[in-house]
Amino acid sequence: MTPGGAGVAQRHDQPTGGPAGRTGIGYEPGGAPGARSAVVDGPYEGNDGMYGPDDAPYAPMMASRSGDDGTDRGAAPDIGADLASHMAGEVLADYLHQQSADFLRSLRLHRESGSDAEGAGEAARQLRRAARRISATLHTFRPLTEEAWADQLRSELGWLSGTLAREQACAARRERLMAALQRLTGRGPERGDRGDRTGRGERGKRGDRTTTGSSTGPATPSASSAPSTDPDPDGALSAGAARAGALLDRQLTLARTRAHSAALQALGSSRFHAVADSVAVLASEAPLARTAAELPADEALPPLVEQAHRRLTEAVAALPLSRAGYPYNAAALAADQRQDAPWHQVRMLVRLSRYARELIAPEAGDLLLAEAGRALEWHRDAAEAAAAAAAAARTPRIAPATAYALGVLHADQRHEVEAARFAFGRVWLPRTPDRKG
């Protein structure tokens, strides 16, 4: 029993305390079937152990490795796990027990971290990682569970995961935008040489020679002293970048502080203790339907996994991949949540398919789903960063140079959205052999 959890669920046939929380999806318009309420998802998930230790930004070159064999990327994954000797309830319960134990272990580490911010952040990420897998499992294999109890727990896990994810989302978004501003305004050796040639370097030297070369005639005006009439977009961007960065830093730091306070408040609430108690019950007694104990695992589980993958392929088929397959198509430059929503929904369905596959074949990783999910994570991060830049540009009474820098930053992130869509298409669709001749 977790302390402070008055009125919480002690058995799987009792509902958890507190009102039903939000699902945490956040992208309902234009969604694909089966995506809403499918898996708990905050605004930022980060690395969950699927993509490697460093979780570096997705590189489009990674996608070029996929599809070289011309295989159909929409085909359901092969199921190679030995399920014939187990019952469906046994396999499902073992997985839920494991994830629930990880959830409780991460909760203990979070409490023991104290003033260690880095340790608390890592524990919170592991907590959300386990919560996502529990929620996805209860959704995909819902016919084999006690549905009312499972739906309530999934809703509460969505509230918890979304609340804990906001702080990391604000921090990651700030780092992304600051790095983009530095990249857009940075001057390397090539840019510096070009700037010297346009008036500050060679022109000044010529002007000095002209002025001092003749002692009798009137001095010729130096070229460096003549006013420049050429537009300098780099100069305008540099002039507003500092203020734009300060504005974004102030807004995102304030949002992160509020998210941190909300997370601390949530972790001390009776609603959270009710969720923890429900997960503790799940760690010892999974709320499974009677049929789960009567059906062989190789008959009951694979059809549900294939159903999750079929929903994914149907959602991907509705995406404009034919247009996204052309680089620099400018389709993603318009800041419209309605065009981003289907891509966000596909990201959720990719995660559902990954977790379902993980349950029946934990040793076999699906490279296609891993790379597709990583491209869509990149898409999500860029879209949210662009939205933050656009929101900052709507701040009243900002200088024109600041608004210009924020506009350039917004366009840069929307180009990242376009590049992520292109990379996803390269991963998902089979490559066509180049024509010769």
Side-chain angles (χ1 to χ4, degrees), residues 1 15 38 43 49 106 122 159 166 201 219 239 243 251 263 280 315 320 355 424-425 434:
M1 168 72 69
S106 302
E122 179 61 27
W159 161 76
R166 293 192 191 101
R243 292 185 178 181
Q251 291 183 349
Y355 293 163
F424 174 79
D434 297 333

Side-chain angles (χ1 to χ4, degrees), residues 44 165-175 252-253 255-256 259:
Y44 181 84
R166 293 192 191 101
E167 181 180 0
Q168 184 186 359
C170 293
R173 197 169 303 131
R174 176 190 174 278
E175 292 178 3
L252 292 175
T253 300
R256 181 182 182 181

Side-chain angles (χ1 to χ4, degrees), residues 349-401:
L349 293 172
V350 166
R351 177 165 293 169
L352 274 176
S353 186
R354 274 178 46 206
Y355 293 163
R357 169 76 170 169
E358 183 180 281
L359 184 143
I360 63 172
E363 307 86 2
D366 195 312
L367 180 60
L368 167 65
L369 293 180
E371 293 196 359
R374 193 165 186 172
L376 294 173
E377 296 272 348
W378 175 23
H379 177 277
R380 186 272 320 277
D381 292 345
E384 293 185 348
R394 290 192 290 269
T395 303
R397 298 184 299 277
I398 61 174

